[in-house]
Amino acid sequence: MPETSRLSADLLLASGFADRVSRWALARGASPEAAQTAAGAARQLSLACSAGDVCLELPAVALEPSDRSNLPRATDPSGLRELLLASRVVGTQLEPGNHPLVLDEGDRLYLHRYFDYERRLADRLLRLHARPLQIADSLPTMRTRLEALFAGARTGVDASPSEMPDDPLDWQRIAVAMALASRLTVVSGGPGTGKTTMVVNLLACLLQTEPELRVALAAPTGKAAARMTEAIRRQACHLPAQVASLLPKEASTIHRLLGVARTGTGFRHGAGMPLPVDLLIVDEASMLDLSLAVHLFEALTDGARVVLLGDKDQLAAVESGAVFADLSGNPAIGDSFRKTLASLCGISPELIQPPPTDALASSALADSVVWFTRNYRFGAKSGIGRLAACINRGDVDAVHEILRESADPGAQLRWLRDEVRADEALIDVAVAGYRPFIEALNQPAIDPSAVFKAYDQFRVLCALRDGTFGVGTVNERLSAKLRLQLQAPGFLDADVSRQSPPSQHAEFSSWYIGRPVMVLRNDYVLRLFNGDIGIALPDQHGELMVHFARSEGGFRLIPPVRLPPVETAFAMTVYKSQGSEFDSVLVVLGSAANRVMSRELLYTAVTRARNQVVVAASTEALNTSVQRKTVRRSGFRTRIAESLLAQESNPGSPGC
């Protein structure tokens, strides 16, 4: 949906909700003043939830003049709280009832659904966290296996020894030990920090002891699930063949794992029908929104073990909530658990010193978080590593300095400032990036594997969907230029139109050999999911078919007419690129600042690249992206602390 249309839809929804709240309050006997106040707050809450927040703090509520006229009490949080509770449509934390809005003890205003989600997820996580694993008898065996597994895995970095971090501790091994000793483990690290190596070694350690262990690998999107499958297969090369054969062969999307109910709403698996899973590993967990996280954890049995992998510095979910960021905020380890980890790793407990963190990031889920900071792809002093670190710190001057170091087209980092003023020059840079892809398509005999490999070398990542520098325009202009360079004969628009009825010809007028497309809607019959990428290529009979790579190798061929909605994918949004990696990326921020630009968006875009990053941005757009840190409002950490307190005061409650 275009950005302007989405904003209009959000405003329309918020206004409609506010009107409904006002009428509901009046019907329940509230005063006009209280009803008016509740309506104004409801409108702002709806807009905040559309922007990704879970709740709205009362000090942040700024009622419009029409909402607060003749309402002196609504100008301060205490007066606002009094009026909201008097509206009879706002419940309290202790008595949420059937009210559409809930106000907690910390003056956070919620939609009832999201307050309920936070409380349910906190309870479920603590039930897992509080259920101990008995590993004392198997500890010597596990320690021996860990030593053997990590001796066989890669232990160096691609960078020189001088670029190694000061911390010599192997946090991958500690993370595996944590997952062996507890039911909930949260691992945060950027691309190339060894999360997959950690997962492979954990699986190898557990499956050697329990070959029948039921393991599920999952990710929020089809692309992330496919990449997880490929990464595990690649990293398992150091394992003995017998052990490698025990590893799961495929990851699925979370929606596919839970199963869509026959009614089309909700999921088949839940508390009443739990997943038959002993160990669940979720990759790209930073993309988990609050609603999906609740349904996922409530579908697990109390005896399950869960490992969440993600990057706390990446973009959060598109929908409301930042569950992974809330969970991974504090890597503190208590003395008792530190000794357990030290015994499993065969080291001194004093060596296990997690990095310091902000006191505000405290969490009741102690002994469950590990941060990976050592990068095995590029050293901390490499261009991409330094740039990513400076973006995370919000250091604008350092970002400028790093990007100005070289203007050479072959440099690891480039900043296109002049080109972004002339959008035609920017498109030429993108065309040059796709040269290997065009060359693969222009071979006498097209090899789909070579085409996909060339396509994945480069990608254009846009901050926006609309406008001169948005995905739609960039794709349109790139398609026009790249199509002129294709030499494959015999495929005119009419050839593709033959596959569809005349009434649908216009829909397929843009199909051509080499067109990459991204699926925009799940299709469970075709097993295609939002974010999947296909490329239009001729089959063995000369018919144009869209090729989708299989996780086990080879391709699935689907006629264009059978596809769910798709869009051309020479360029994609940064959001859609999550879970992907490319040799090089062109990051297009554009010529002006925009509200969607943020530190997390730029960091996510930059870290999609293995070898080269080109940033196309005006100084204003770049500075805005580095300086603006996204903070999603929620009370999730408070809900966890409250749930823990309730369990401690009632030792007989579930999970204690």
Side-chain angles (χ1 to χ4, degrees):
M1 180 183 294
E3 183 73 14
T4 53
S5 298
R6 188 182 65 80
L7 288 174
S8 298
D10 291 343
L11 287 169
L12 186 63
L13 177 65
S15 297
F17 180 57
D19 181 64
R20 180 71 184 89
V21 165
S22 176
R23 287 188 284 112
W24 198 345
L26 291 172
R28 289 187 169 188
S31 67
E33 294 82 0
Q36 186 178 349
T37 301
R43 181 179 182 277
Q44 286 201 50
L45 177 59
S46 178
L47 291 173
C49 291
S50 296
D53 290 326
V54 174
C55 60
L56 189 61
E57 297 165 349
L58 290 196
V61 175
L63 298 178
E64 296 179 356
S66 59
D67 294 324
R68 55 183 171 85
S69 57
N70 302 318
L71 298 177
R73 288 180 297 168
T75 59
D76 65 272
S78 60
L80 184 57
R81 182 181 181 91
E82 181 183 343
L83 281 168
L84 288 173
L85 293 177
S87 70
R88 304 190 180 185
V89 292
V90 179
T92 65
Q93 181 173 329
L94 297 179
E95 297 182 358
N98 64 348
H99 300 90
L101 305 175
V102 175
L103 188 60
D104 77 357
E105 296 302 312
D107 280 345
R108 301 180 190 89
L109 185 65
Y110 287 86
L111 296 177
H112 190 121
R113 179 175 75 253
Y114 285 139
F115 178 76
D116 185 54
Y117 279 162
E118 277 196 350
R119 191 164 56 180
R120 284 161 54 188
L121 182 57
D123 288 345
R124 192 69 192 90
L125 286 169
L126 281 173
R127 286 175 62 186
L128 278 176
H129 190 254
R131 193 179 177 91
L133 281 166
Q134 304 301 326
I135 64 167
D137 294 339
S138 59
L139 194 148
T141 301
M142 293 295 187
R143 180 170 59 231
T144 301
R145 285 180 180 161
L146 278 180
E147 184 176 351
L149 287 166
F150 279 94
R154 179 179 61 179
T155 57
V157 295
D158 298 335
S160 65
S162 63
E163 293 180 323
M164 293 281 287
D166 295 332
D167 186 358
L169 205 60
D170 190 344
W171 285 98
Q172 290 180 27
R173 186 185 297 199
I174 292 172
V176 173
M178 183 177 288
L180 292 173
S182 61
R183 296 193 183 276
L184 177 64
T185 304
V186 182
V187 181
S188 176
T193 53
K195 298 191 295 290
T196 304
T197 300
M198 172 261 167
V199 166
V200 168
N201 287 337
L202 170 65
L203 290 171
C205 197
L206 286 171
L207 290 170
Q208 287 180 79
T209 304
E210 303 177 66
E212 302 303 318
L213 191 73
R214 299 171 299 177
V215 180
L217 307 177
T221 67
K223 180 65 176 177
R227 186 173 163 273
M228 184 184 191
T229 302
E230 296 164 5
I232 287 177
R233 183 185 297 114
R234 187 170 59 248
Q235 290 295 334
C237 61
H238 72 282
L239 298 178
Q242 182 180 2
V243 177
S245 67
L246 299 174
L247 300 184
K249 301 299 186 290
E250 186 177 6
S252 72
T253 64
I254 294 174
H255 285 81
R256 182 180 172 190
L257 179 70
L258 293 175
V260 177
R262 292 182 179 180
T263 59
T265 59
F267 300 103
R268 290 198 304 271
H269 290 288
M273 185 181 177
L275 289 164
V277 170
D278 301 312
L279 169 62
L280 172 65
I281 300 176
V282 181
D283 198 12
E284 297 294 341
S286 57
M287 299 168 68
L288 270 178
D289 61 81
L290 179 59
S291 173
L292 187 57
V294 170
H295 288 98
L296 179 62
F297 276 92
E298 289 189 338
L300 297 171
T301 64
D302 288 345
R305 194 186 319 230
V306 182
V307 177
L308 300 180
L309 309 168
D311 186 346
K312 60 182 177 60
D313 298 315
Q314 264 189 214
L315 284 166
V318 175
E319 304 299 330
S320 296
V323 174
F324 187 82
D326 284 334
L327 287 176
S328 60
N330 187 0
I333 299 175
D335 292 339
S336 177
F337 197 58
R338 183 182 284 110
K339 292 177 182 177
T340 300
L341 298 179
S343 297
L344 279 166
C345 296
I347 60 176
S348 170
E350 289 72 24
L351 291 176
I352 304 178
Q353 296 296 332
T357 185
D358 192 321
L360 295 177
S362 61
S363 170
L365 293 176
D367 302 338
S368 61
V369 179
V370 175
W371 290 356
F372 287 175
T373 56
R374 178 182 299 178
N375 201 293
Y376 292 83
R377 181 180 306 150
F378 40 77
K381 294 184 179 179
S382 72
I384 295 177
R386 290 165 56 211
L387 180 60
C390 291
I391 291 170
N392 273 339
R393 292 199 306 269
D395 192 336
V396 173
D397 292 338
V399 169
H400 283 204
E401 182 180 351
I402 292 171
L403 288 175
R404 285 180 179 140
E405 286 179 357
S406 177
D408 181 9
Q412 188 181 47
L413 299 174
R414 293 177 62 198
W415 182 8
L416 306 180
R417 286 175 293 175
D418 297 330
E419 288 86 342
V420 84
R421 297 187 185 96
D423 50 305
E424 190 68 28
L426 179 63
I427 296 299
D428 288 340
V429 173
V431 168
Y434 277 114
R435 186 171 294 119
F437 176 63
I438 296 299
E439 291 173 353
L441 289 167
N442 284 338
Q443 296 301 310
I446 298 178
D447 178 1
S449 296
V451 170
F452 270 81
K453 183 177 180 180
Y455 173 69
D456 282 337
Q457 290 179 17
F458 175 77
R459 196 73 82 250
V460 180
L461 306 180
C462 299
L464 307 174
R465 289 204 61 84
D466 308 317
T468 303
F469 302 100
V471 166
T473 301
V474 172
N475 267 322
E476 183 179 345
R477 301 184 65 186
L478 258 178
S479 297
K481 282 210 168 188
L482 292 172
R483 192 170 181 178
L484 293 175
Q485 300 182 18
L486 293 172
Q487 299 171 6
F491 284 90
L492 303 175
D493 295 336
D495 294 312
V496 184
S497 299
R498 286 189 295 115
Q499 301 179 18
S500 62
S503 62
Q504 298 180 13
H505 284 182
E507 182 180 351
F508 295 95
S509 63
S510 60
W511 285 101
Y512 53 90
I513 285 179
R515 182 192 180 195
V517 294
M518 175 181 287
V519 175
L520 301 179
R521 189 177 68 203
N522 295 341
D523 188 317
Y524 292 94
V525 175
L526 293 177
R527 291 183 292 117
L528 292 177
F529 301 94
N530 187 7
D532 285 354
I533 296 285
I535 300 178
L537 299 170
D539 66 7
Q540 58 182 345
H541 304 295
E543 293 288 338
L544 194 64
M545 306 287 281
V546 183
H547 291 54
F548 291 89
R550 297 178 184 270
S551 58
E552 66 273 17
F555 298 90
R556 296 172 55 219
L557 277 59
I558 300 176
V561 293
R562 293 195 61 199
L563 292 177
V566 298
E567 67 181 5
T568 302
F570 286 116
M572 62 178 65
T573 62
V574 177
Y575 269 101
K576 289 285 189 178
S577 75
Q578 292 185 93
S580 301
E581 289 183 6
F582 313 100
D583 287 344
S584 59
V585 298
L586 169 59
V587 181
V588 181
L589 300 180
S591 58
N594 185 281
R595 72 183 190 94
V596 306
M597 295 175 186
S598 68
R599 188 179 305 173
E600 292 78 12
L601 182 138
L602 183 57
Y603 168 84
T604 300
V606 165
T607 55
R608 296 312 91 199
R610 289 183 284 259
N611 300 317
Q612 185 185 49
V613 174
V614 181
V615 179
S618 66
T619 300
E620 177 193 6
L622 180 64
N623 290 355
T624 298
S625 297
V626 176
Q627 293 171 333
R628 181 183 291 156
K629 182 173 177 59
T630 301
V631 178
R632 289 201 166 179
R633 289 171 285 197
S634 81
F636 184 49
R637 291 174 182 167
T638 300
R639 302 287 89 79
I640 291 175
E642 291 168 350
S643 185
L644 180 64
L645 183 62
Q647 289 187 5
E648 289 175 345
S649 62
N650 183 15
S653 63
C656 294

